[in-house]
Amino acid sequence: MKRYKGLITAVVVVGLMGGPGTVAEAASPQPGGRLLYVEFATTTLVPGQLKSAQPDGNGGQDLGKSLPWYAGPDYSPDGTKFVYAEGMSLRIADADGGNDEWFVAGPSGPSFPRWSPDGRWIATEAGGIHAWRTDRSEYSNLATAFENIAMAWAPGGKRFATVTNDGEVRIYRVGNQEPVKRFAVAEPRQVDWSPDGKTLAVQAQGDIVLITVSTGVIRRVTSTPEVYESSPVWSPDGGWIAYGSGAAGYDEYGNPHTVAPVIHLMTRTGTDQHPTSIAGIPTSWRSY
């Protein structure tokens, strides 16, 4: 995991949408599936409790693990398992937290692991973007550039997006070390790719921005100076985005963190922003 210092302060944004209380678009279906999240009772500076719940807060389950914010647990595509970072390693457990097993050790401390859409690979940031087959039969250094700090697979698994500590969102093709697209975004931290492949949701400067992949148009959909929003994840049907939101704070290095975050939801275009009853930061969302 990297410290984030000296990040650029300019952000390319087209349009300003939304904010808490924005009117919903017509007849957005209510979200289903199950959220994986980390509950932080005070601040994201200290480890939180890994839990899961339905988006309306029902069916909550404590998975019995205390994890830092960068552990980034991610469900497998079929929702039966999840992967997370711990120390220098990645670990895999059943969806209920059982059968927890060591998977691989990273070349450096891993963060924000992500399961490929076909379920055959797990990728993570660990001084670049690294990936292993789930049976550990093959390894690939997907992106050697050390400035990449988190990634998200595209639907189909032939491309992936990264955010960097020098103010870019990048798109790569698997097997190519040079990005095929670059977008200038200030202080990006997390990224998730929509299920239809059209849009990236990005945490940037403590807000959420949406990037249209085909055109590069960037829209800031939250604007909350005293509130820190983070960790956007798409619903399985692509109709909703979950994200964490709480009072903004800063550690001794000047890195931002969130005080007592609560999971919020918005539609895929950034409207109907509202809090849920779930305290924490979402890390993955699957339908099962």
Side-chain angles (χ1 to χ4, degrees), residues 102-123:
W102 178 86
F103 174 54
V104 294
S108 64
S111 58
F112 309 115
R114 287 295 175 262
W115 221 298
S116 67
D118 64 6
R120 297 180 180 179
W121 292 84
I122 292 172

Side-chain angles (χ1 to χ4, degrees), residues 7-8 13 28 48 64 69 73 80 104 128 147 168 175 178 202 207 210 237 247 250 253-254 263 265 269 281:
L7 299 171
I8 66 172
V13 180
S28 297
W69 62 275
T80 62
V104 294
E147 61 268 24
E168 284 191 334
E178 289 299 317
V202 180
D207 283 313
L210 300 178
D237 65 2
Y250 296 89
Y253 301 99
I263 294 178
L265 297 177
T269 59
I281 288 176

Side-chain angles (χ1 to χ4, degrees), residues 36-113:
L36 194 62
Y37 67 98
V38 181
E39 179 181 278
F40 296 93
T42 55
T43 169
T44 55
L45 287 177
V46 298
Q49 296 303 119
L50 180 62
K51 298 184 177 183
S52 70
Q54 297 165 10
D56 61 6
N58 290 325
Q61 186 175 21
D62 190 330
L63 302 181
K65 303 182 192 304
S66 180
L67 300 177
W69 62 275
Y70 58 84
D74 186 40
Y75 278 128
S76 60
D78 63 6
T80 62
K81 297 180 180 294
F82 64 85
V83 61
Y84 67 98
E86 181 180 73
M88 293 294 292
S89 300
L90 297 179
R91 301 185 66 87
I92 294 176
D94 290 346
D96 64 1
N99 296 317
D100 190 312
E101 297 180 344
W102 178 86
F103 174 54
V104 294
S108 64
S111 58
F112 309 115

Side-chain angles (χ1 to χ4, degrees), residues 10-282:
V11 60
V12 178
V13 180
V14 178
L16 175 64
M17 287 189 57
T22 302
V23 176
E25 60 204 56
S28 297
Q30 291 303 302
R34 195 167 187 86
L35 284 166
L36 194 62
Y37 67 98
V38 181
E39 179 181 278
F40 296 93
T42 55
T43 169
T44 55
L45 287 177
V46 298
Q49 296 303 119
L50 180 62
K51 298 184 177 183
S52 70
Q54 297 165 10
D56 61 6
N58 290 325
Q61 186 175 21
D62 190 330
L63 302 181
K65 303 182 192 304
S66 180
L67 300 177
W69 62 275
Y70 58 84
D74 186 40
Y75 278 128
S76 60
D78 63 6
T80 62
K81 297 180 180 294
F82 64 85
V83 61
Y84 67 98
E86 181 180 73
M88 293 294 292
S89 300
L90 297 179
R91 301 185 66 87
I92 294 176
D94 290 346
D96 64 1
N99 296 317
D100 190 312
E101 297 180 344
W102 178 86
F103 174 54
V104 294
S108 64
S111 58
F112 309 115
R114 287 295 175 262
W115 221 298
S116 67
D118 64 6
R120 297 180 180 179
W121 292 84
I122 292 172
T124 189
E125 182 278 325
I129 306 299
H130 305 263
W132 294 262
R133 280 195 175 270
T134 52
D135 62 4
R136 296 193 288 270
S137 65
E138 191 176 349
Y139 159 81
S140 177
N141 191 340
L142 294 179
T144 57
F146 271 59
E147 61 268 24
N148 289 309
I149 56 177
M151 68 89 71
W153 296 94
K158 294 182 179 180
R159 296 179 296 167
F160 61 96
T162 69
V163 292
T164 75
N165 62 9
D166 59 1
E168 284 191 334
V169 176
R170 299 175 181 176
I171 293 178
Y172 292 84
R173 294 191 185 278
V174 172
N176 189 342
Q177 290 289 330
E178 289 299 317
V180 295
K181 291 189 176 184
R182 299 173 184 257
F183 310 108
V185 177
E187 300 180 30
R189 293 288 189 271
Q190 292 282 282
V191 59
D192 199 26
W193 205 314
S194 65
D196 64 6
K198 296 179 179 180
T199 309
L200 300 175
V202 180
Q203 171 191 340
Q205 288 188 312
D207 283 313
I208 306 299
V209 303
L210 300 178
I211 303 176
T212 302
V213 174
S214 61
T215 64
V217 170
I218 302 172
R219 294 183 296 126
R220 186 192 299 268
V221 291
T222 70
S223 183
T224 53
E226 303 302 322
V227 175
Y228 196 79
E229 282 140 351
S230 67
S231 308
V233 296
W234 288 88
S235 65
D237 65 2
W240 294 83
I241 300 168
Y243 58 100
S245 182
Y250 296 89
D251 65 15
E252 64 270 33
Y253 301 99
N255 296 317
H257 63 90
T258 314
V259 178
V262 171
I263 294 178
H264 284 55
L265 297 177
M266 68 170 75
T267 67
R268 60 186 172 82
T269 59
T271 62
D272 193 15
Q273 297 171 20
H274 63 275
T276 70
S277 62
I278 306 171
I281 288 176

